[in-house]
Amino acid sequence: MSINENSNEPFQTWMCLICGWIYNEATGLPEEGIAAGTRWADVPMNWTCPECGARKEDFEMVAI
């Protein structure tokens, strides 16, 4: 699924269940090559939490 397919959906936030670090789709993570507006589904499967190294499956969507 590409970023444009979800363009009408509000951006979501995802929290690491290990350390509590938050990934925000609206801001992305440009310092790691993930552009602002990148949906969670489009974050690479081998990406890990920048704080604790947890895997993508260790994150859960949260409302902030």
Side-chain angles (χ1 to χ4, degrees):
M1 188 176 299
S2 72
I3 293 169
N4 293 333
E5 289 180 43
N6 290 325
S7 61
N8 293 331
E9 296 292 321
F11 288 115
Q12 297 176 330
T13 52
W14 296 79
M15 183 179 73
C16 177
L17 297 174
I18 308 300
C19 73
W21 185 84
I22 300 287
Y23 173 77
N24 185 326
E25 292 178 337
T27 57
L29 197 56
E31 61 272 18
E32 292 203 12
I34 302 172
T38 300
R39 299 293 181 168
W40 185 246
D42 296 322
V43 172
M45 283 305 297
N46 64 348
W47 178 83
T48 58
C49 176
E51 291 294 314
C52 72
R55 294 176 296 179
K56 193 174 167 185
E57 61 260 18
D58 293 320
F59 279 72
E60 185 172 282
M61 201 245 322
V62 293
I64 294 183

